[in-house]
Amino acid sequence: MKPYFVAANWKMNGSQRLVSEIIEAVQGVKSDSVDIGLFLPSPYMAVAASVAGQTMIVGAQHVSQHESGAFTGEVSCAMLRDIGVSAALIGHSERRQYFGETDDLCGQRLMTVLRHGIAPVLCVGETLEERKQGVVETVIAAQLEAIDTSIEYANPAINFTIAYEPVWAIGTGEQASPDEAGEVHAFIRSQVVERWPELTPSLRVLYGGSVKADNVRAFAQQPQIDGVLVGGASLDVVTFTEICEEVAAVAQEA
Ligand code: PGA
């Protein structure tokens, strides 16, 4: 069985001090059955990678689809590799909403990260409006299309993660019920099995959206859910440690 994956997405929050505190607190929870990842603002990635070493995954929240050159403000895959960053979020709904990231752009970024051996976490999810209209699967299928552009660079040695994050559940305190999330996860998995079967050995599907210490267990216990992507609750050392411990407990029981 693949290890569960608990990933923290700090967004534009945190400090150098919090990096050290979180790493120290969760390092003890890391086991063969749980991977822990920190997706950090750019200024903190290098220090986290050097402190966390091989014990944790340090990831970027954004990476350029370009190799190098005149792209002011951008960060390349080669730079991430250079400082020990091994994973990257792609297509988080905030990037789609505020920075115009389209499915096409996500496809180009997926291709670039895979070429550089960086493990992608492709984020997908519907808005409340889309859920009300009953088009969840259509929306998710369209977002998964990004995989098509990049599939030739997929490699079983690079973990491929898809994070299902309903937009209406992000930062709102609302969550999908574990059953609702499980249904969408089953759909995502069936799409991958049907369309990109070469990804299945390395695939993990995470749930994200108002995950907290007191609800994480119910998500992790769903057979279709391989872990969680945690925003707000990952900024508190005690809470994030509890979340990691809860998932580790589920992994033990599995
Ligand atoms: P949240 O964010 O846990 O604060 O809802 C999740 C995310 O955006 O990845």
Side-chain angles (χ1 to χ4, degrees):
M1 203 175 136
K2 270 168 257 162
Y4 283 77
F5 188 13
V6 181
N9 172 15
W10 280 14
K11 312 188 179 189
M12 200 171 72
N13 297 299
S15 63
Q16 199 160 314
R17 185 177 169 161
L18 188 61
V19 171
S20 330
E21 288 175 358
I22 289 260
I23 292 176
E24 198 185 325
V26 298
Q27 246 167 356
V29 187
K30 158 90 187 81
S31 70
D32 288 347
S33 48
V34 184
D35 287 337
I36 299 174
L38 299 179
F39 290 82
L40 300 175
S42 295
Y44 304 135
M45 293 189 291
V47 70
S50 74
V51 177
Q54 300 299 311
T55 60
M56 287 169 69
I57 294 162
V58 175
Q61 298 172 8
H62 164 67
V63 64
S64 173
Q65 70 276 25
H66 301 290
E67 290 296 326
S68 65
F71 299 103
T72 301
E74 292 287 271
V75 171
S76 74
C77 284
M79 292 169 188
L80 296 182
R81 289 298 303 251
D82 194 27
I83 59 167
V85 169
S86 59
L89 298 183
I90 293 181
H92 187 279
S93 62
E94 286 151 17
R95 301 287 320 171
R96 293 177 191 263
Q97 191 180 348
Y98 306 131
F99 302 96
E101 275 188 26
T102 58
D103 292 328
D104 182 46
L105 200 48
C106 292
Q108 293 174 40
R109 293 198 174 137
L110 261 183
M111 186 160 68
T112 313
V113 302
L114 287 170
R115 272 210 320 259
H116 284 267
I118 291 175
V121 179
L122 175 64
C123 303
V124 299
E126 81 286 358
T127 61
L128 188 55
E129 201 47 45
E130 289 162 342
R131 179 158 278 264
K132 283 187 186 152
Q133 287 166 6
V135 292
V136 176
E137 293 191 355
T138 316
V139 170
I140 306 276
Q143 292 170 335
L144 292 175
E145 277 297 321
I147 298 174
D148 233 22
T149 332
S150 58
I151 192 67
E152 63 181 295
Y153 297 100
N155 170 342
I158 308 171
N159 283 324
F160 198 104
T161 304
I162 297 171
Y164 168 56
E165 298 201 302
V167 178
W168 48 273
I170 295 179
T172 58
E174 302 268 331
Q175 318 98 41
S177 72
D179 285 344
E180 270 170 340
E183 273 171 33
V184 181
H185 279 232
F187 173 72
I188 291 172
R189 225 176 266 285
S190 70
Q191 288 281 297
V192 172
V193 169
E194 202 176 294
R195 305 187 56 196
W196 308 287
E198 58 273 61
L199 285 186
T200 48
S202 66
L203 180 71
R204 288 188 285 199
V205 188
L206 311 184
Y207 171 76
S210 297
V211 171
K212 308 269 182 274
D214 61 7
N215 63 21
V216 67
R217 182 176 277 259
F219 288 110
Q221 281 171 332
Q222 280 281 329
Q224 301 285 347
I225 298 183
D226 302 315
V228 284
L229 181 54
V230 188
S234 70
L235 293 163
D236 182 86
V237 177
V238 174
T239 308
F240 188 60
T241 308
E242 278 171 19
I243 289 173
C244 296
E245 285 169 350
E246 286 286 318
V247 175
V250 173
Q252 287 276 306
E253 291 155 14

